[in-house]
Amino acid sequence: MQMETDFAPAERANQNSILHDNSLIVSAPFIKEILNASNSLIAIVNEHRQILFANHAFLDTLGTYNVESILGQRPGEAVGCLNSDKHEGGCGTSENCFYCGAVNAILDSQKSREKAIYETRIAAEIKGEKHHFDLKVVASPLQINGMHYTMLNLEDISHQKRKRV
C-alpha cells in the first residue's frame, strides 16, 4: 500500500535494513569517532531519508543519549518538526515540506550526487517545549563499503539571522 504524500516520497526501509546499514556505518574505520568529535549536528541518512547514525552533538540537542531512539526516523521526526506528522509518511511528505531546506537539501544531493546547501527554519517540539531552529543544512553524498548514503551537517545560524535583522 502506497502512503500519501504531498511532496517527497513516503516509502521507508524496513527495520532490518536500518539496523544493517547502521552496523556498516559504525564499523567503518574512524567514521563514528570523527563525526562524534565534531560540535556540528551530523546525521547520516539512507535513500529514504531515514536516520542511520547521528553524532553526539545531534543526540545532545535532542536530549537523548542513544541513536537507537531515533534510528529509522527522518530528521524532522527526530527533532519534532510540527509538520512531520501531517501524513503517515512523516517528514518530507506534507505540502509545507516543499519549502523545507532540510528535505530539499537531501533530495537534491541524492539526485545530483553532489553537495547541496540550503537554509531552513524548523518549528519543533522537543520534550514538550517549542523550539524554532534556523539552520544551514549541508547534505553531502557519502559512500561506505559500496553503499550510498547522505550525510547531513546542520549548523545553527539563528545568530546570523538576528544580526541581519
Side-chain angles (χ1 to χ4, degrees):
M1 180 175 114
Q2 189 141 354
M3 288 187 271
E4 183 181 347
T5 182
D6 288 328
F7 185 53
E11 291 74 30
R12 293 177 183 264
N14 65 42
Q15 194 63 18
N16 287 337
S17 177
I18 299 290
L19 294 172
H20 176 263
D21 286 348
N22 170 263
S23 69
L24 281 177
I25 292 166
V26 298
S27 67
F30 305 113
I31 291 284
K32 185 177 175 183
E33 292 80 6
I34 291 169
L35 298 181
N36 280 330
S38 175
N39 289 328
S40 294
L41 310 181
I42 299 173
I44 297 173
V45 299
N46 65 9
E47 71 274 13
H48 301 291
R49 307 178 316 281
Q50 293 170 273
I51 295 172
L52 304 171
F53 174 84
N55 73 345
H56 291 314
F58 192 101
L59 295 173
D60 287 347
T61 298
L62 300 180
T64 187
Y65 297 100
N66 64 27
V67 74
E68 290 79 16
S69 65
I70 61 168
L71 273 182
Q73 292 183 6
R74 293 186 171 137
E77 297 157 6
V79 301
C81 174
L82 300 178
N83 292 306
S84 68
D85 62 358
K86 303 263 184 195
H87 288 306
E88 69 174 316
C91 171
T93 63
S94 88
E95 62 187 36
N96 298 328
C97 300
F98 178 80
Y99 304 101
C100 177
V103 71
N104 280 298
I106 295 169
L107 293 173
D108 282 359
S109 178
Q110 289 176 339
K111 184 178 180 181
S112 69
R113 295 266 190 236
E114 294 184 11
K115 181 177 3 179
I117 303 171
Y118 282 75
E119 288 185 7
T120 196
R121 181 171 177 86
I122 296 176
E125 189 171 322
I126 300 174
K127 297 195 176 196
E129 289 185 34
K130 298 230 187 260
H131 297 271
H132 288 88
F133 298 102
D134 288 307
L135 301 169
K136 176 180 174 183
V137 181
V138 180
S140 304
L142 178 66
Q143 191 173 24
I144 299 173
N145 293 332
M147 301 295 292
H148 293 280
Y149 303 110
T150 304
M151 185 170 65
L152 291 180
N153 187 331
L154 308 172
E155 178 186 345
D156 180 1
I157 57 169
S158 56
H159 61 285
Q160 294 171 357
K161 292 281 189 180
R162 279 193 294 276
K163 201 181 264 190
R164 277 189 234 158
V165 170

